[in-house]
Amino acid sequence: MKPLKIGMVGLGRLGKRHAENLALRTPGASIEAACSVVPEELEWAQERLGVKNLFGDYGAMLVSADIDAVFIASSSAVHAAQAIAALKAGKHVFCEKPMGISIQECLEVEAAAAAHPKSTFMVGFVRRFDPSYRYAKELIEQGAIGEPFLVRSQTVDLDEYAAFQVGFVPTSGGIFMDMNIHDIDLARWYLGDEVNSAYAIGGSFVHPEFAQVMDADNTCALLTFSTGKMADLSVSRTAFHGHDTHTEIVGSRGILKIGITPVKNRVEIFDSFGARKPCVRDFYERFEEAFRAEAAAFVECARSGATPIVGARDGTEATRVGFCLTESFRKGRIATIRR
Ligand code: NAI
């Protein structure tokens, strides 16, 4: 089989990691072109990965680069438009989360994906590719905890990234769309159900600058699903111990807990501060293996025609819930989800 020729879109904090994975560690993938609005990032792609076809304009890349697929890791606000344009140009599409920051634009992506069934379309809900999260899914499918009815999940980042995150809010869709979206996707995946109401509270307890952009640095959210199942999701941008993503799935006969203590590895330090375990620092350190598996899965699906485990509908539903949580947080009342 010929390698999948990819146009990389966005070479920022995450795009560079994706580009390295695709170019250096993913069998059957080749980066033929790269697009970024930051000239230094294009220089990086040329020097680090030897990419020769460099574009500051996405439309120009779609028209003139010899590519089969685009791998979108640009700002969230442009994901949907870029995904739709690529599908219309006959390309396979990997789109980072969130698929879009409004429900309407997600529905338009979904329609474009349905209209181009020969193009593989996948959304970057990376936790579904993490070995522990996948194993939990297998256990649920085997009936290990009976019927799952509650997901508790949190996404927590180190406080030192808060300054960067404030600048990210205008294009990310805010804390629910940017961070909680992973927990929302997990809750839908594990419970096998759709959300019908959402309630969120939060505040800017450590960094008042989040309140100035109508966002928060810590939030709590409650979801009810159509069958009455529940999710309890939280986010913090102000941790001091490390990146602390963890999830529990409660079922009628047992509970699964995934990554409750965010340990870096199996080493414990015994010294004058006590007995302790080092933590993972950031999302990439925690999910590096999952990011590689995710890239490999996209390339494999695009080359073989297999259907990805996470598609456009998952992208829409997660944004729908993220959007309603944002509304609930800003208006101070429960949001009912309409489809
Ligand atoms: P960043 O701000 O570091 O990089 C954004 C990139 O997008 C830059 O390379 C910029 O040149 C490019 N860009 C912006 N507008 C563009 C346009 N119109 N055409 C082409 N390129 C354009 O952001 P970061 O942290 O790398 O995040 C990128 C995306 O990845 C976001 O959507 C974010 O939600 C997602 N992400 C996903 C994570 C996950 O766990 N799956 C973790 C971190 C980010």
Side-chain angles (χ1 to χ4, degrees):
M1 252 198 283
K2 288 184 194 161
L4 185 75
K5 291 183 273 187
I6 297 172
M8 188 67 217
V9 190
L11 291 161
R13 191 176 55 137
L14 183 58
K16 284 194 180 77
R17 303 284 203 167
H18 277 313
E20 285 180 329
N21 283 340
L22 289 164
L24 309 175
R25 303 178 190 106
T26 308
S30 150
I31 299 192
E32 292 296 313
C35 171
S36 166
V37 292
V38 180
E40 296 75 35
E41 293 178 0
L42 293 174
E43 280 166 30
W44 175 89
Q46 190 169 35
E47 282 164 21
R48 168 82 175 110
L49 304 175
V51 181
K52 294 192 180 66
N53 303 303
L54 306 170
F55 295 87
D57 180 68
Y58 178 70
M61 184 178 84
L62 281 185
V63 169
S64 54
D66 178 19
I67 52 174
D68 309 309
V70 293
F71 207 95
I72 300 173
S74 52
S75 302
S76 301
V78 296
H79 287 178
Q82 291 183 335
I84 292 167
L87 287 164
K88 286 186 177 165
K91 312 297 180 193
H92 303 291
V93 176
F94 173 91
C95 181
E96 254 308 334
K97 52 55 60 176
M99 189 172 85
I101 56 173
S102 80
I103 300 169
Q104 183 56 36
E105 66 179 6
C106 286
L107 291 171
E108 287 166 16
V109 176
E110 225 183 306
H116 297 87
K118 289 193 178 150
S119 293
T120 294
F121 184 87
M122 184 168 147
V123 183
F125 285 127
V126 66
R127 293 185 198 170
R128 293 201 193 197
F129 296 88
D130 173 75
S132 301
Y133 280 91
R134 288 183 82 125
Y135 180 53
K137 177 72 173 168
E138 284 165 23
L139 287 172
I140 290 167
E141 286 170 351
Q142 290 160 16
I145 57 165
E147 185 63 25
F149 60 84
L150 167 64
V151 168
R152 288 196 196 98
S153 191
Q154 71 168 40
T155 299
V156 169
D157 271 345
L158 274 178
D159 184 79
E160 68 185 60
Y161 302 124
F164 168 83
Q165 290 179 338
V166 172
F168 212 59
V169 170
T171 57
S172 74
I175 192 164
F176 301 101
M177 207 83 85
D178 187 38
M179 296 176 72
N180 241 172
I181 198 122
H182 287 291
D183 307 288
I184 296 165
D185 180 63
L186 289 176
R188 289 181 62 248
W189 192 44
Y190 286 135
L191 297 178
D193 199 357
E194 294 300 354
V195 177
N196 65 4
S197 72
Y199 180 59
I201 54 174
S204 297
F205 300 97
V206 185
H207 301 282
E209 51 276 27
F210 283 104
Q212 286 159 16
V213 287
M214 289 170 65
D215 209 53
D217 57 24
N218 283 267
T219 58
C220 301
L222 292 175
L223 306 179
T224 50
F225 287 73
S226 67
T227 53
K229 293 182 179 185
M230 306 174 286
D232 170 356
L233 314 178
S234 55
V235 176
S236 174
R237 303 184 192 271
T238 61
F240 288 86
H241 58 294
H243 174 83
D244 189 356
T245 282
H246 64 242
T247 303
E248 286 178 60
I249 307 119
V250 183
S252 54
R253 289 208 312 272
I255 301 174
L256 302 174
K257 300 194 181 204
I258 307 162
I260 295 296
T261 304
V263 290
K264 185 178 181 69
N265 50 38
R266 295 181 189 189
V267 174
E268 292 176 65
I269 304 169
F270 295 78
D271 61 9
S272 56
F273 297 104
R276 55 206 163 82
K277 299 177 182 181
C279 290
V280 292
R281 280 189 60 75
D282 61 32
F283 72 90
Y284 197 79
E285 185 180 359
R286 169 63 184 84
F287 289 109
E288 182 169 3
E289 196 178 346
F291 278 110
R292 291 184 189 178
E294 177 185 69
F298 172 69
V299 170
E300 161 65 21
C301 287
R303 294 174 84 207
S304 69
T307 305
I309 61 165
V310 53
R313 176 139 190 282
D314 300 303
T316 302
E317 289 303 324
T319 287
R320 198 191 291 283
V321 177
F323 186 84
C324 288
L325 285 172
T326 308
E327 290 274 295
S328 172
F329 162 64
R330 289 184 181 161
K331 293 182 177 165
R333 54 179 154 80
I334 295 175
T336 303
I337 294 183
R338 292 185 185 83
R339 290 185 179 79

